[in-house]
Amino acid sequence: MSTKLFGEPVQRREDPRLLTGQGRYVDDLGAGALEVAFVRSPHAHARIRDIDVSDALDVEGLVAIYTWEDLPTLLAQPLPLLIPHPALTHGRTAYPLARDVVRHVGEPVVMVVARDRYLAEDVCALIQVDYELLKPVVGVEEAAQSAQLVHEDVPDNVGAHLIQEVPSADGLDARELIETAPHTLTFRLDIERSASMPLEGRGVYARWDADDRSLRVYSSTQTSTSVRMAIAAKLGLPLPKVEVIAPDVGGGFGVKIVHPWPEEVLVPWAAMLLGHEVKWTEDRREHFVSSAHERAQVQFVRVGFDDDGRVLGLDVNILHDHGAYTPYGIIVPIITSTQLLGPYKIGAYRVEFSSIYTNTVQVTPYRGAGRPQGVFCMERTMDHIAEYLGADRTAVREINFIQPDEFPYDQGLIFQDGRPLIYDSGDYPESLRLLKELIGWDGFPALKAQAAAEGRRIGLGIGCYVEGTGVGPYEGGHVQITSDGRVHVSTGLTSQGQGHETVFAQIAAAELGVPMERVSVVTGDTRRFGYAVGTFASRAAVMSGNAIALACRKVREKALRIAAEALEADPRDLEIIDGEVRVVGSPGASIPLATVAVLSNPLRYAFDSETARATQFAGASSFDRPPVEAGEEPGLEGRDYYSPIRSTFASGMHAAIVETDSLTAEIRILRYAVVHDCGNLINPMIVEGQIHGGVAQGVGGALYERMVYDDHGQLLNASFMDFLMPYATEIPSIETAHLETPSPLNPLGIKGAGEAGVIPGSAVIASAIEDAEGIRIDKMPISPSELFDLRRAATG
Ligand code: MCN
């Protein structure tokens, strides 16, 4: 492979389109479609006694009103539980429209279809739902002790309970080792609820072709292939009669991987039933109360360690707030418990979690997916050990690091993909060295003393993580070179802003030896590629990147074979440069890939795109066209799949310097440094952009963002007026250094990068505030008023 494009900071080719308003999002489509609005539950827990639509029926422009009772049998079932797990003994999912009980504010109860959204909303306001109020269960600790049940048949509100244990090399368990350790610490950590907040909410637009009995659905989804399967199954249609397309998607951050959302099956169903285009666009309040949240965990930690800070035993007990339903299984607490150990090898580990139902919005993965909570746990542990021993925080980390010569390193756990959690490669001591250099770790005490002399409080924090990325089972790529020499690449997974059009074109151009301008990329369109898993778990680069590279290699081989015949050369003597197949060392002997594409098809036509005329090539008459040989396929195209034996593990370390105002307790980030290792970089500029976006979300999670529920299960801050997201002004410029330890598991040696930036945010900021203030920070996010209260409590 030519390395010219692979690894280059190529500008994102999608940006001119997206930044100048040329993007095509779901709501840009379907002018003239009927529009949908939902009556959603205003109560956190209630039984539906009656739904009275009589006042709504006379509204001019109303087309249809549907409740659960109107749904056909397949649609009237609960939505699928996507990732079952033996520990999830009481998995529960919602009905597309509530059947008899609503379990969180925002649950859809009635669907209204009208001429436009305004009318649909007016109709919703006239529908009377009679509710019998039930006592809501709010707060994970309250739920774990409450006699009140979210689901009548789920005792103690416990959906899942799982213990994983990794004994020490000599067979001792974590609790034994903690009991006998020279030092022990016990503490509690809290992380509040937050959520993905993509600029574009969810949205669905469906067209039914009654003659063809086929559906075309546009959805703002992270997985068009799975939405397609769900629609076909739920609406009783053959798969080939359903097409699902993810057009431009304005961010997903995890929430759009859930499938099908109720709206994704209800809107196409209405389109079929009404024989008319139908669409629904989520509004912001709906996104707050009707999609999904994450984070929300309470963790009880007990750790035993020696005089040097070496961890001998770690015992973590996690209460995970799962909200009302578990459509995505227990992936989040599984990731927390298995990824928590980060770059460290510890004596023995025990982790236990209980996944608890509450009458709040359901919890599914949000960028980082359980890792920010795990890293908060492990990194707080490292800081607390250092504080106890009076040791440098980096020294305690270093002594626990897995060393470069210990890879592959088996953590002895089972990862989210059901496979052993084995780290493939990394160099944690070198990452730390780079980070300390970047942030000026060793010089910080002098800076701090100087600031103190000026009456200012500054603190330095650190956070390290390892992140399983590129989760299987597979992804595919298709590559076609047409007779104009253009290269058409498609892969089934979707894009939400990660820059896939650019990086996949870089890979294809580098593999095929063609200029990048000749390569076009399509993602998330089941018409072009029908098999895919989706975009989550920082997997697109590893999975589709490698699949596209493999497909390119097939096409390249075929091109060389055909060209060798035409040039009367040995394929081994050929190279492809600038879209031309050349005989190495004979500059005159060459043939353009465009011509090879013509030769690859027995028809041997070349279409001139300017005159729209077909030209018969190389004197081939209609009588002497060669046959398609056995084992051969016409066309210069190829398809391949990449399916890894297990995930690959990226890693990184962040450091931040914060200043806390000595009067107001306002918290300001002065510097933020990142060392990141995602194996070989396809595009360093894109990876940096991903890190910057992630860090911004990490800062949001550490200092601003939280879902505030009252005791009635009402979300009090369900708008951007009250849910504080950081502006650009709150995000410091981010200093980044890359380390590249290639993954030995995949042909391109890459690991994922899409979530990395967000993962250690809370850990790093907590560490820095603690350093500035000398007060334990064990609960995030933290606001100035909370810091102020902590100060007061500390000084009595
Ligand atoms: N990349 C690279 N070299 C590597 C690894 C990655 O150049 N060694 C590039 C990739 O080619 C891709 C980007 O970095 O352009 C992220 O790659 P990857 O880590 O494979 O992540 P995915 O593409 O699978 O994206 C998913 C990931 C997740 S899980 C969330 S959540 C997330 C994220 O990416 N949501 C995002 N980044 C987002 N960025 C935007 N703008 N919007 C979202 O919704």
Side-chain angles (χ1 to χ4, degrees):
M1 185 180 70
S2 141
T3 50
K4 206 164 152 276
L5 285 164
F6 192 97
E8 288 292 309
V10 177
Q11 289 275 357
R12 286 168 43 119
R13 50 161 56 175
E14 44 273 84
D15 282 354
R17 182 167 54 81
L18 297 175
L19 295 175
T20 56
Q22 311 296 309
R24 224 167 138 256
Y25 300 89
V26 171
D27 199 43
D28 295 322
L29 311 172
L34 299 174
E35 294 203 64
V36 166
F38 290 91
V39 175
R40 297 182 184 270
S41 171
H43 304 295
H45 201 187
R47 192 174 302 282
I48 299 170
R49 278 198 288 236
D50 183 44
I51 300 175
D52 180 359
V53 300
S54 47
D55 287 350
L57 293 176
D58 293 336
V59 174
E60 154 84 35
L62 167 66
V63 177
I65 298 177
Y66 303 110
T67 66
W68 178 83
E69 287 183 355
D70 300 309
L71 302 178
T73 315
L74 285 169
L75 259 189
Q77 309 301 315
L79 293 162
L81 198 163
L82 296 165
I83 311 180
H85 189 284
L88 181 56
T89 49
H90 294 83
R92 295 290 179 272
T93 58
Y95 291 92
L97 293 171
R99 181 179 176 171
D100 43 9
V101 176
V102 285
R103 295 188 176 83
H104 67 89
V105 171
E107 192 161 346
V109 180
V110 183
M111 174 164 83
V112 172
V113 187
R115 200 170 57 221
D116 61 43
R117 179 67 176 260
Y118 301 97
L119 279 171
E121 296 279 358
D122 290 349
V123 171
C124 287
L126 296 171
I127 293 172
Q128 311 281 337
V129 184
D130 181 16
Y131 295 100
E132 174 198 341
L133 298 190
L134 303 172
K135 194 169 171 342
V137 182
V138 185
V140 68
E141 286 171 286
E142 291 79 353
Q145 289 150 19
S146 173
Q148 185 66 38
L149 299 177
V150 176
H151 298 272
E152 275 172 8
D153 57 347
V154 178
D156 305 321
N157 292 315
V158 177
H161 180 240
L162 184 65
I163 300 175
Q164 293 204 64
E165 287 192 85
V166 187
S168 67
D170 41 8
L172 295 173
D173 70 35
R175 288 184 166 173
E176 286 175 82
L177 283 165
I178 294 168
E179 284 315 315
T180 55
H183 313 284
T184 58
L185 286 172
T186 305
F187 48 94
R188 168 196 170 127
L189 301 168
D190 287 71
I191 291 227
E192 292 192 37
R193 242 173 209 252
S194 188
S196 313
M197 281 293 157
L199 277 183
E200 183 205 21
R202 298 176 296 126
V204 193
Y205 159 52
R207 288 191 216 160
W208 171 245
D209 182 332
D211 294 334
D212 189 45
R213 296 203 58 72
S214 65
L215 252 182
R216 179 181 297 177
V217 179
Y218 293 83
S219 179
S220 183
T221 177
Q222 290 176 226
T223 172
S224 50
T225 45
S226 300
V227 171
R228 179 193 190 204
M229 285 194 284
I231 290 173
K234 284 282 179 190
L235 304 189
L237 290 169
L239 195 63
K241 291 289 184 186
V242 181
E243 297 164 346
V244 176
I245 299 150
D248 284 320
V249 172
F253 306 110
V255 69
K256 295 176 184 173
I257 190 64
V258 177
H259 58 270
W261 281 102
E263 299 85 356
E264 278 174 329
V265 282
L266 292 171
V267 169
W269 171 67
M272 269 177 82
L273 216 61
L274 300 169
H276 201 289
E277 297 169 46
V278 179
K279 88 171 185 184
W280 167 76
T281 306
E282 184 181 62
D283 65 30
R284 189 52 61 184
R285 186 177 156 74
E286 284 179 303
H287 191 75
F288 270 99
V289 299
S290 309
S291 62
H293 300 164
E294 213 234 84
R295 308 297 192 240
Q297 284 183 4
V298 181
Q299 302 168 340
F300 301 92
V301 185
R302 192 159 159 73
V303 61
F305 50 97
D306 67 15
D307 296 341
D308 298 323
R310 197 170 284 108
V311 177
L312 305 173
L314 179 68
D315 185 7
V316 183
N317 193 341
I318 300 169
L319 283 182
H320 173 79
D321 181 349
H322 224 126
Y325 301 106
T326 47
Y328 216 73
I330 46 175
I331 281 295
V332 173
I334 286 186
I335 295 180
T336 304
S337 27
T338 56
Q339 297 264 278
L340 190 150
L341 298 176
Y344 310 111
K345 54 176 179 207
I346 63 168
Y349 177 48
R350 180 183 192 280
V351 63
E352 172 174 0
F353 73 75
S354 302
S355 193
I356 311 285
Y357 287 112
T358 56
N359 287 117
T360 56
V361 170
Q362 65 195 6
V363 163
T364 66
Y366 157 40
R367 197 178 198 177
R371 294 176 188 91
Q373 300 93 310
V375 170
F376 187 60
C377 175
M378 196 69 213
E379 294 301 294
R380 295 284 63 217
T381 303
M382 289 294 162
D383 279 0
H384 292 348
I385 293 173
E387 186 203 4
Y388 177 93
L389 294 174
D392 182 280
R393 288 170 290 167
T394 59
V396 170
R397 284 168 169 86
E398 211 157 8
I399 205 161
N400 286 289
F401 275 161
I402 296 161
Q403 296 301 310
D405 59 2
E406 291 179 288
F407 292 98
Y409 187 85
D410 188 348
Q411 283 285 22
L413 292 155
I414 299 298
F415 191 42
Q416 68 182 100
D417 55 7
R419 299 180 188 179
L421 192 134
I422 302 173
Y423 295 173
D424 47 338
S425 64
D427 188 342
Y428 310 137
E430 177 60 9
S431 283
L432 184 63
R433 193 193 65 73
L434 281 171
L435 183 74
K436 286 174 74 171
E437 200 176 284
L438 197 60
I439 197 77
W441 185 272
D442 295 332
F444 186 74
L447 268 185
K448 192 174 172 178
Q450 191 190 329
E454 295 163 8
R456 293 167 56 220
R457 301 178 186 195
I458 62 170
L460 171 59
I462 181 170
C464 311
Y465 64 93
V466 171
E467 177 198 5
T469 65
V471 176
Y474 79 93
E475 220 47 72
H478 179 258
V479 176
Q480 181 176 24
I481 303 179
T482 43
S483 61
D484 53 3
R486 297 198 63 84
V487 180
H488 306 268
V489 174
S490 60
T491 184
L493 56 64
T494 58
S495 304
Q496 302 89 50
Q498 293 90 346
H500 296 150
E501 273 180 65
T502 307
V503 282
F504 295 155
Q506 279 180 261
I507 292 174
E511 290 285 344
L512 291 169
V514 297
M516 205 179 135
E517 307 75 67
R518 283 198 212 154
V519 185
S520 59
V521 175
V522 169
T523 59
D525 184 338
T526 64
R527 295 171 301 178
R528 289 288 299 276
F529 207 99
Y531 292 94
V533 182
T535 301
F536 59 97
S538 303
R539 64 191 296 282
V542 174
M543 301 301 301
S544 283
N546 279 292
I548 289 166
L550 294 173
C552 285
R553 289 175 193 183
K554 273 191 175 171
V555 174
R556 180 187 170 89
E557 196 194 311
K558 185 169 186 182
L560 295 184
R561 213 168 54 237
I562 295 168
E565 224 172 275
L567 294 165
E568 296 180 351
D570 188 318
R572 285 168 301 187
D573 296 335
L574 301 180
E575 59 186 356
I576 312 179
I577 293 175
D578 234 0
E580 264 192 0
V581 188
R582 297 181 190 165
V583 180
V584 180
S586 307
S590 68
I591 177 171
L593 271 177
T595 311
V596 180
V598 175
L599 294 177
S600 71
N601 183 342
L603 279 177
R604 295 195 168 173
Y605 286 148
F607 279 94
D608 183 325
S609 51
E610 274 173 26
T611 59
R613 286 181 58 186
T615 320
Q616 201 128 50
F617 188 77
S621 79
S622 42
F623 301 107
D624 65 1
R625 286 176 190 138
V628 178
E629 312 239 340
E632 199 49 281
E633 284 179 5
L636 192 50
E637 61 184 289
R639 178 188 305 269
D640 212 339
Y641 293 87
Y642 172 65
S643 184
I645 47 165
R646 54 177 187 270
S647 300
T648 169
F649 287 82
S651 64
M653 300 185 186
H654 295 196
I657 299 177
V658 303
E659 176 163 3
T660 54
D661 189 287
S662 51
L663 284 177
T664 63
E666 197 185 335
I667 303 156
R668 222 153 48 88
I669 303 170
L670 303 181
R671 284 185 62 201
Y672 201 105
V674 175
V675 173
H676 185 249
D677 179 2
C678 57
N680 292 334
L681 294 164
I682 309 167
N683 184 325
M685 195 193 291
I686 285 184
V687 169
E688 272 185 37
Q690 285 289 309
I691 289 171
H692 291 180
V695 168
Q697 282 178 310
V699 169
L703 297 179
Y704 308 105
E705 296 170 13
R706 67 181 88 202
M707 297 290 173
V708 184
Y709 274 99
D710 70 8
D711 293 345
H712 305 287
Q714 294 291 340
L715 183 57
L716 300 180
N717 61 339
S719 84
F720 280 164
M721 289 294 287
D722 303 308
F723 179 86
L724 303 180
M725 290 174 81
Y727 295 126
T729 43
E730 275 86 45
I731 305 302
S733 72
I734 298 152
E735 302 151 64
T736 315
H738 298 290
L739 184 72
E740 289 180 78
T741 60
S743 170
L745 299 180
N746 62 73
L748 298 179
I750 49 186
K751 308 174 182 183
E755 291 163 281
V758 76
I759 291 173
S762 287
V764 177
I765 307 282
S767 173
I769 297 173
E770 191 167 283
D771 186 44
E773 294 280 332
I775 302 173
R776 277 267 176 110
I777 308 293
D778 283 343
K779 191 170 186 298
M780 294 298 262
I782 183 164
S783 66
S785 57
E786 284 163 331
L787 179 58
F788 193 82
D789 289 344
L790 285 178
R791 275 184 191 167
R792 278 205 170 160
T795 55

